[in-house]
Amino acid sequence: MTHRVVLLFLILFFLSLPAARSQQADLDSLIDREMPRLVSTYKALHAAPELSHHEVKTSALVAQELRGLGFDVTERVGKYVTHPEWVSYGVVGVYKNGAGPTVYVRTELDALPIEEKTGLPYASTVRAKDDSGREVGVMHACGHDIHITSFLGTAKLLLELKNQWQGTLVMLAQPAEEAISGAEAMLEDGLYTRFPRPDYVIALHDTPYIAAGMVGYTPGYAMAGSTSVDVILRGVGGHGSAPQVAKDPVVEAAEFILAIQTIVSRENSPFDPAVVTVGSIHGGTRYNIIPDEVHLQLTVRTYKEEVRQHIIAALERMAQGIAAADGVPASRAPIVEASEDEYTPATYNDPQLTLRLAEVFKKALGPPNVVETPPVMSSEDFGVFGLDNHQIPICQFSLGAVDAAKLAESQRTGVPLPGLHSSLWAPVPEPTLRTGVKAMSGAVLDLMKKPGAHD
Ligand SMILES: [Zn+2]
Ligand SMILES: [Zn+2]
């Protein structure tokens, strides 16, 4: 070999060696450059939250940013079947970058009817009317503003690094997650037929249980399915002084609430997690009137569909049984109704995809910053994007969002930190956003890496 050939060979060899490291370095320096802009985007979003079904400005901002980056953007994707009068503010941005997998990155857009009490300089003072016309404070108390900002940062970085991946990237901004209706609405509107069908759908959610700078992952079932159930116990109203000529639904409600405690404790396998909570009870108007009915609102949480079905059937059976035992006439039998609107299945993180992403995160953030986290009984509608029977591999990972020292102190003292849906929820923008962008971009780069690219 001539000297020149040897030299060329050596150069090529050394160029190929640190490919993975240089990709990480590229990503890190791009994120450094973006951080000030991301933090200000985050604060602006935080100060301007919008309620579920009203994400007008938030969705417009996301659409505009994606369009500016070169995505093919469609707005107002979604159809609320049970409320056709509502507008769906779903946004879909598609970027085709050669042959390869189709990866969806999902964010939510909505905030909550909570008056913010954090006292932060960028705290929300927004007030708005909710769907029932009631005026409420509005706050990004679930951190969806962290998600939107990470999503926009990820989109920008991925387009700058587009020579490092190939396939179709779909940025999906979903409305009305808190109302558990946005994901379903987007699918009802032909999400997977009007736009490329995904090979993977990924998302992140901030969490108060992990320090900022870290991420968590849960392979398999990660969040429970949720069903809202209305129970109307009907009696025969009358004078409070003459119970013998009435059938008192307040007493019936008391019996019912205690009786249903045995569904989970005595009828359900201890290996199948389940929760039944009565969250609201309303009946009567005055001291001396036996009311005609009492209305209860329940939430049922389960992982398995058969467990959910069993619990709903047990609620019905117990309501009817108690009414019969109390001598309530058949014409005043209880009404038990599981809501179709407020139902979401369990979130099942595809184990193979989740473990693959965990490895990516370990490389990007360092192994101590990546932890496996246990499943929870809270719910969200992200699981809907996997379709029935987990047809499409999906993964939502957790993004640590609280100061490490405060978390350690809380673990030491046992005094919990404010969590999601609290008026005091205040994720720390740095390094939460940096970690969100890094983890999400790294995940997509891995799922869409060019054939033959270095690992
Ligand atoms: Zn939430
Ligand atoms: Zn949320």
Side-chain angles (χ1 to χ4, degrees), residues 106 108 110 112 141-144 147 177-178 204-206 223 379-380 396 420-421:
R106 175 268 205 172
E108 318 87 323
D110 56 335
L112 285 158
C142 204
H144 296 176
H147 310 171
E177 185 282 320
E178 297 294 356
L204 55 76
H205 204 296
D206 63 346
M223 298 179 102
S379 305
E380 93 127 271
Q396 182 176 68
L420 302 178
H421 292 207

Side-chain angles (χ1 to χ4, degrees), residues 207-340:
T207 172
Y209 303 119
I210 307 178
M214 297 174 69
V215 296
Y217 65 95
T218 312
Y221 282 113
M223 298 179 102
S226 164
T227 306
S228 295
V229 182
D230 287 280
V231 177
I232 301 171
L233 297 170
R234 301 184 296 173
V236 178
H239 202 287
S241 66
Q244 73 279 14
V245 293
K247 289 292 172 196
D248 189 346
V250 172
V251 176
E252 218 183 320
E255 292 174 309
F256 176 75
I257 291 168
L258 288 179
I260 63 173
Q261 303 308 316
T262 60
I263 299 176
V264 173
S265 70
R266 303 289 86 184
E267 293 190 26
N268 183 55
S269 162
F271 294 101
D272 287 326
V275 176
V276 177
T277 291
V278 180
S280 140
I281 169 164
H282 289 278
T285 49
R286 266 200 64 81
Y287 310 93
N288 59 352
I289 302 170
I290 292 171
D292 286 328
E293 61 182 43
V294 173
H295 183 188
L296 295 92
Q297 294 180 309
L298 284 67
T299 188
V300 173
R301 304 296 169 107
T302 63
Y303 280 103
K304 293 184 185 162
E305 176 61 17
E306 61 264 35
V307 176
R308 182 178 93 94
Q309 292 297 347
H310 175 85
I311 291 176
I312 295 169
L315 289 169
E316 170 84 36
R317 189 189 74 229
M318 287 183 172
Q320 301 301 344
I322 287 165
D326 288 352
V328 172
S331 61
R332 300 288 295 155
I335 301 167
V336 178
E337 224 167 56
S339 161
E340 287 296 317

